Amino acid sequence: MIRKTRVLATLAAALAIGLAQAQPYPNKPLHVYMPGAPGGSFDIMTRMVMLKMADALKQPAVVENIPGAGGTLSIDRCLKGEPDGYHLCVTYVGNLAIAPYLYPKLAYDPVKDLKPVALVGSVTYVLAVLASSPFKTMADLVAFAKANPGKLNYASGGNGTGGHVGGEIIKRTKGLDMVHVPYNGNAPASVALLSGVVDWAIEALPTSLPNVRAGKLRALAVTTPQRNPALPDVATMQEQGFEGFDLSSWVAISVPQGTPDAVVATLNTEINKVLASKELKESFSRIGAEPMGGTPEQFAAFLKSELAQYGKVMAKAKAD
């Protein structure tokens, strides 16, 4: 009798598993692996999208923040998950396009090990200082750095992030000696700037904009060739003597290679629906971000161009 009961229990369990697998995707919570600490620009943007996706898919999206190593640790963790569509890797310029040139023994290949789902959004960077800083322009900062080698320091969200790369380009372009202070994420780096621990930082606009508007930070420059509508009076780096300076960032969703194409298509469709909504566009606009979207194939082509571009940028910056 006991043996019969065990057999029936085993069959029931197998049947339950079979039924679960046969149910339409998704039928359980999504796990989202986020690079960096909570509160960073990509964290904010991704959570906005995932909140709406969870409603549409009728499944919760559990976000796990994994700071460290320029966002590469989060991908390592994500790739340990099954390629079943329930493990979503938050990818961005740092851990996909910059990391291959920064870490010789990178544990993953951004093209071979990851499958593109969709680009989520892009952000401009801002070079900011405290509102009480004596620096009013980039010329002020450069002049002080030249006269005082090694006395200025700048924060970034970690080695290989846009803030780090931008700082290295500034140093190399003008022959400056300034100290890089990496943090485990953009949010801790922002706290360091606001508390006066560091002298300046290149921050994503969604991170810096609230503090600039509140009068806590002063924006010295935006890093794109054109001025940003959210800060129309702030000159670009190119306008201030940094010829060819062009630095922006983006965030996207990828999954482990091997994830079924049908699942990728479902995720891509839902992400694009969210990005096209008026509510999401307004939310992104308020923080200085722009929705992107598109097909997995467009994301793959975009990544290819970014890898080529940052190969040249990293060679020039000689970031370490």
Side-chain angles (χ1 to χ4, degrees), residues 11 32 38 74 88 110 227 263:
L11 288 173
V32 184
S74 66
L88 310 186
R227 295 193 182 195
V263 170

Side-chain angles (χ1 to χ4, degrees), residues 157-171:
N159 290 326
T161 59
H164 175 211
V165 173
E168 290 295 320
I169 293 174
I170 290 170
K171 287 164 60 178

Side-chain angles (χ1 to χ4, degrees), residues 228-243:
N228 191 279
L231 296 171
D233 296 328
V234 178
T236 68
M237 292 289 290
Q238 293 191 25
E239 287 178 304
Q240 298 185 75
F242 289 83
E243 184 178 351

Side-chain angles (χ1 to χ4, degrees), residues 7 33 54 57 60 112 114 154-155 189 199 202 212 221 240 252 287 304 317:
V7 170
Y33 299 83
L57 295 173
K112 294 179 180 179
L114 289 157
Y154 70 99
D199 298 296
I202 293 178
V212 171
Q240 298 185 75
I287 62 173
K304 183 178 179 180

Side-chain angles (χ1 to χ4, degrees), residues 199-215:
D199 298 296
W200 61 274
I202 293 178
E203 296 188 331
L205 185 57
T207 301
S208 61
L209 188 58
N211 292 313
V212 171
R213 288 173 171 168

Side-chain angles (χ1 to χ4, degrees), residues 40-295:
S41 57
F42 296 148
D43 182 74
I44 295 169
M45 293 165 66
T46 305
R47 286 176 187 273
M48 285 180 178
V49 173
M50 286 300 152
L51 184 63
K52 294 299 181 185
M53 273 190 67
D55 288 341
L57 295 173
K58 296 180 172 53
Q59 291 292 340
V62 181
V63 178
E64 179 184 359
N65 290 85
I66 307 170
T72 62
L73 296 184
S74 66
I75 291 186
D76 289 344
R77 185 84 62 83
C78 184
L79 290 177
K80 288 180 171 63
E82 292 294 323
D84 54 9
Y86 294 97
H87 301 275
L88 310 186
C89 316
V90 178
T91 48
Y92 75 111
V93 64
N95 59 16
L96 281 196
I98 296 175
Y101 304 104
L102 187 65
Y103 302 102
K105 296 182 179 180
L106 191 64
Y108 59 87
D109 185 301
V111 175
K112 294 179 180 179
D113 295 331
L114 289 157
K115 203 167 188 177
V117 176
L119 290 159
V120 171
S122 64
V123 294
T124 298
Y125 284 111
V126 175
L127 194 149
V129 298
L130 276 176
S132 58
S133 169
F135 308 133
K136 302 292 194 298
T137 65
M138 284 302 302
D140 295 339
L141 189 150
V142 170
F144 183 91
K146 283 186 175 180
N148 300 273
K151 288 192 176 181
L152 287 183
N153 53 31
Y154 70 99
S156 81
N159 290 326
T161 59
H164 175 211
V165 173
E168 290 295 320
I169 293 174
I170 290 170
K171 287 164 60 178
R172 302 290 175 178
T173 300
K174 299 297 182 181
L176 306 176
D177 179 8
M178 295 184 286
V179 179
H180 172 228
V181 184
Y183 289 85
N184 277 335
N186 293 323
S190 182
V191 171
L193 177 61
L194 287 166
S195 60
V197 174
V198 295
D199 298 296
W200 61 274
I202 293 178
E203 296 188 331
L205 185 57
T207 301
S208 61
L209 188 58
N211 292 313
V212 171
R213 288 173 171 168
K216 297 178 181 179
L217 294 179
R218 176 185 301 126
L220 299 190
V222 293
T223 61
T224 45
Q226 297 81 31
R227 295 193 182 195
N228 191 279
L231 296 171
D233 296 328
V234 178
T236 68
M237 292 289 290
Q238 293 191 25
E239 287 178 304
Q240 298 185 75
F242 289 83
E243 184 178 351
F245 199 106
D246 184 2
L247 187 71
S248 59
S249 194
W250 46 266
V251 64
I253 298 296
S254 304
V255 290
Q257 194 62 251
T259 302
D261 289 341
V263 170
V264 171
T266 296
L267 290 169
N268 176 270
T269 297
E270 294 304 326
I271 289 172
N272 277 292
K273 284 180 182 177
V274 172
L275 293 176
S277 70
K278 181 180 178 182
E279 182 180 355
L280 192 283
K281 288 179 179 179
E282 291 176 348
S283 295
F284 268 31
S285 178
R286 281 194 294 270
I287 62 173
E290 295 183 11
M292 295 180 74
T295 66

